Amino acid sequence: MSSDPAIFHGIVRGKTIELDQATGFPDGQDVVVAIHPGVPGDGIRESAGGWGDAGPELDDWLRKIDQARHSGRSVGQP
């Protein structure tokens, strides 16, 4: 067994797990699967990059940008 596990994301459909990408393993390859349920919101946080862990200050800044867009003013970065 390899010491470096491959990590894939997928969706459980009954007794089948549909992966979001090809594994590169040949058909019939024996594997060991450890299942860790995803946490709601993880996908959006991962796709947000550096803003993924932003706190209330980001919400305030985005609110100011939205208000400025409607008033014609500009807002600097936080």
Side-chain angles (χ1 to χ4, degrees):
M1 186 158 80
S2 171
S3 62
D4 294 326
I7 298 174
F8 297 92
H9 293 179
I11 297 175
V12 174
R13 301 193 191 284
K15 290 175 55 176
T16 301
I17 298 174
E18 183 179 318
L19 302 176
D20 59 3
Q21 64 187 41
T23 64
F25 300 138
D27 283 350
Q29 172 72 48
D30 186 39
V31 296
V32 175
V33 178
I35 299 175
H36 302 276
V39 177
D42 275 355
I44 192 67
R45 276 189 290 279
E46 289 176 11
S47 67
W51 288 8
D53 294 326
E57 67 278 357
L58 177 62
D59 291 335
D60 292 340
W61 184 61
L62 293 173
R63 193 173 8 269
K64 288 177 185 176
I65 290 174
D66 187 54
Q67 290 170 350
R69 286 181 56 230
H70 295 287
S71 70
R73 297 179 294 117
S74 64
V75 175
Q77 293 185 351

